[in-house]
Amino acid sequence: MCRYLMRVLVLLMANCLPVVPVHADDEARRRTEPQAEQADVTLDQRIETINSEIKESLSRQLAEIPEIDEKNPDAFETYSKRGDLHMFLADFSKAETDYLQMVKLKPDVDSSHWRLGIAMYFADHAEKAAAQFDKYHSFDNIDRENGIWRYLSHRRAFGLEKAREQMLKYEKDDRPPFKEVYRLFDGSLTPDDVLKAIPPGLPETARNARLFYSHLYVGMNYSAEGETDLAIDSLQLAILNPWPRAAGFGPDYMWHIGRLQYQKLKTELRQAAQP
C-alpha cells in the first residue's frame, strides 16, 4: 500500500476503534465514569493511555508472584505466567529465562514453545529464535505464523537474501489470513494485496480477526524493512482493534507483541530525535 493510502486508512480508523480495556474490571470502571471526548485525542495518545494502564496492571501482578519453588507442582504454570508478565513488560531476557525454565521442567513442551522463540527474538538472540521456530515447525508444519517469525529471526541473523532463501515451504492451507500474509514476507504480495484479500461481507468478529493479523504483520514487515513510519501506522491499527483482547490466549499474546513492537519503534524515533 502506498504511504498516502496507509495514512488515509489510519485517519479513517482513528475515530471508530475503541480503546481496548486492560481487564474486565477496568472496563466496568470505565462504564461507570464520565467518558472523555475522543475526537481530538490522537492515536498515539490513546495508545499511551493503554500502555500506562497495562504497565500498572502487569507490574502489580508480577509483584504478587512469590518466589518459585521448582519442587512445587505449580512451578511450571508459575514460570509460564511470570514469563508472560516479563514479556509484556518488555523485560525480554527475563521472559526468555522463565520460558527456558518451563522447558527444563517439562522437556516435551520445547518443540511447541513458540513464546520462547518470540522472547528470544525480542531479546536479540536471533539465531536461537530461528532454531526454536525450526523446532516448532517439526511440531506443526501448517502454521505459517511460525514461518513468519522464523523468517524474521533469520533476516535479523543473516540478512534478507538468506532469510528469503530459507523460508519454509507449506503444502497445506493455514487459517486466514496467513496464506496471504506469508506471501507478504516472501515478497510476492504487497501490504495492499493482503488487505484486499479480506473478503467483503464478513461478520464483524471475523473481519476484525483478519484485520488484526493483517495489520500486525504488515507492521512487522515494515519494521523489518526499516519503514518505521508505515510500521507505526499499521501497528496502531492492530493495537486499537477490539478483537484480539477478547479472543483469548494466542491473539491476546500477539496483541501485546504488536504493542511492544510499536513501543520499540517509538522509543527509537525519540532517541534519534535527541541532539
Side-chain angles (χ1 to χ4, degrees), residues 144 176-185 189 193-194 197:
R144 285 168 174 78
F178 284 102
K179 182 177 181 180
E180 292 80 17
V181 170
Y182 196 66
R183 292 181 61 194
L184 170 70
F185 287 85
L189 289 182
D193 293 331
V194 172

Side-chain angles (χ1 to χ4, degrees), residues 26-88:
D26 292 326
E27 173 63 10
R29 173 177 52 78
R30 288 195 185 96
R31 286 198 297 266
T32 62
E33 293 178 356
Q35 297 298 302
E37 193 66 40
Q38 293 292 315
D40 296 327
V41 177
T42 68
L43 295 183
D44 282 344
Q45 289 170 331
R46 294 174 69 185
I47 293 172
E48 282 299 314
T49 298
I50 292 172
N51 282 334
S52 177
E53 294 176 347
I54 286 283
K55 185 175 181 180
E56 179 182 353
S57 175
L58 296 176
S59 297
R60 183 171 62 249
Q61 293 176 60
L62 183 61
E64 293 172 353
I65 294 181
E67 184 177 350
I68 301 174
D69 178 1
E70 293 191 359
K71 296 180 181 179
N72 189 309
D74 295 330
F76 178 85
E77 292 299 334
T78 306
Y79 275 125
S80 177
K81 180 178 179 180
R82 194 175 73 176
D84 287 352
L85 291 171
H86 282 312
M87 188 72 192
F88 301 157

Side-chain angles (χ1 to χ4, degrees), residues 140-148 170-180 182:
D140 181 353
N141 63 0
I142 296 175
D143 188 357
R144 285 168 174 78
E145 191 171 15
N146 177 73
I148 289 170
Y170 291 93
E171 297 179 358
K172 298 179 181 179
D173 285 340
D174 194 5
R175 67 198 191 281
F178 284 102
K179 182 177 181 180
E180 292 80 17
Y182 196 66

Side-chain angles (χ1 to χ4, degrees), residues 246-261:
F249 170 68
D252 181 66
Y253 194 97
M254 298 316 299
W255 177 83
H256 280 286
I257 296 306
R259 182 180 63 80
L260 292 166
Q261 183 66 22

Side-chain angles (χ1 to χ4, degrees), residues 121-122 148-149 152 185 215-225 231 235 257-258 261:
Y121 175 82
F122 274 89
I148 289 170
W149 285 99
L152 289 170
F185 287 85
H215 286 137
L216 171 64
Y217 284 111
V218 165
M220 293 300 300
N221 187 60
Y222 276 136
S223 297
E225 298 285 345
L235 290 169
I257 296 306
Q261 183 66 22

